[in-house]
Amino acid sequence: MRRIWLGMVAVLLMIGAGMSAQAALRAIARHGAVASNLADVATLPGDTALPVVSDKQETAAPAAGVTGTIDLPDLPIPAGTAIDVGIVPARPFSTTGISAIDRGRAVQCLTAAIYYEAASEPDAGQQAVAQVILNRTRHPAFPATVCGVVYQGSEHAGCQFSFACDGAMARIPNRAAWMRAARTAGMALSGYVYAPVGLATHYHTYAVTPAWNRGMVMTDVVGAHFFHRWKGYWGTSAAFSQHYGGGEPVPGPHTPLAPIAPPTPAMIAAGIAAADTVPTPSVAAVSMASVQRGAMSMKSTTPTPAPVADDMLPPESQILERWKDSGKPLK
């Protein structure tokens, strides 16, 4: 009996040792992960440290909560351009002089972007998203209209804002949240500037780390979004020189561009065969038919048909002399 008890105690000790070893391994793994995260820390002005997600967790843009990417404009950079230091606020946006239709479309497009991108964000978060969109309208890398910016790339798989392509707009918006987004849009289009994000043209949520953010400058963190501007000249205030003059397109995603398929060899052969079956009337037959129609319409004696010329020109007119001046104004 004593041996049985000793055996059971030994088994229990072995189980306990195994559990302790497993816990130790988990602790070592956690320690390694923390050390890796501490090695990937981005420091902003003011010694504000923000963790950077490792490359293994990267999500290609566009994704939920991520703006798309676009190539920089192929334009010359002015010599001697001063590079801005720190956060430079954008200039107030103005819709003065544009038509009521253009302003209404701009409000609708900006409201949709704020709603689908930041409906659950605080007021500052919505204002920051609106500022990014208006910043883009002034940058030569983007369209010069609000609707053009919001729905850029929606005719193919290159949406700059994911909601325009992922089916989110098929859901009916919440009325109260939509009205709140509309107020934010109206303020931004009336000149309100959300200065903390500066000249940011991109953003993403803290849940993802798109590849392009490593080549940009972070300007602010508002709510769940990190905001970025381009490095160098294209992120300075001098680069935001595009003029907004209205001309807003119809709000909504662009119609997909269906590729035009070239004709197949079978289609070409069928076309040639069909053309060969259509008889080509002779010049003499066409001339005689014209003479007969002219004679019947004028109810007169059939004139002598004009000879067929060798140059394949149309036959001479068969109208009688007394009818040639009809239709001319009387003097």
Side-chain angles (χ1 to χ4, degrees), residues 296-320:
M296 292 177 62
S297 61
M298 296 301 172
K299 297 183 183 299
S300 61
T301 305
T302 303
T304 303
V308 179
D310 294 334
D311 56 7
M312 302 297 289
L313 294 175
E316 295 181 359
S317 173
Q318 303 301 317
I319 299 177
L320 299 180

Side-chain angles (χ1 to χ4, degrees), residues 11-184:
V11 171
L12 291 173
L13 289 174
M14 292 176 63
I15 295 173
M19 295 177 64
S20 299
Q22 187 176 9
L25 290 174
R26 286 199 301 267
I28 292 172
R30 284 197 302 270
H31 178 75
V34 171
S36 176
N37 287 337
L38 290 176
D40 292 330
V41 170
T43 303
L44 295 176
D47 297 328
T48 302
L50 296 172
V52 178
V53 183
S54 66
D55 292 341
K56 295 180 181 179
Q57 299 179 5
E58 280 190 357
T59 301
V66 182
T67 52
T69 57
I70 193 167
D71 294 334
L72 288 169
D74 187 16
L75 298 173
I77 298 176
T81 301
I83 304 300
D84 297 329
V85 178
I87 306 300
V88 177
R91 292 176 288 110
F93 194 82
S94 174
T95 56
T96 302
I98 69 171
S99 66
I101 293 178
D102 280 339
R103 178 172 174 80
R105 289 178 175 179
V107 170
Q108 184 174 346
C109 292
L110 187 56
T111 299
I114 296 170
Y115 176 84
Y116 289 106
E117 294 286 301
S120 60
E121 289 290 293
D123 289 347
Q126 293 196 352
Q127 292 161 6
V129 168
Q131 191 62 58
V132 165
I133 294 170
L134 297 188
N135 285 350
R136 286 190 173 200
T137 64
R138 288 174 165 162
H139 199 287
F142 301 96
T145 59
V146 177
C147 293
V149 165
V150 171
Y151 295 106
Q152 184 181 12
S154 58
E155 65 276 6
H156 47 71
C159 279
Q160 294 296 300
F161 295 89
S162 58
F163 78 91
C165 290
D166 63 6
M169 299 184 70
R171 299 190 297 270
I172 299 176
N174 176 274
R175 179 177 176 80
W178 183 269
M179 294 303 296
R180 177 170 171 253
R183 287 194 296 270
T184 303

Side-chain angles (χ1 to χ4, degrees), residues 72 84 88 139 199-200 229-240:
L72 288 169
D84 297 329
V88 177
H139 199 287
L199 300 173
R229 66 168 173 84
W230 271 308
K231 290 182 178 179
Y233 170 74
W234 294 116
T236 66
S237 55
F240 289 76

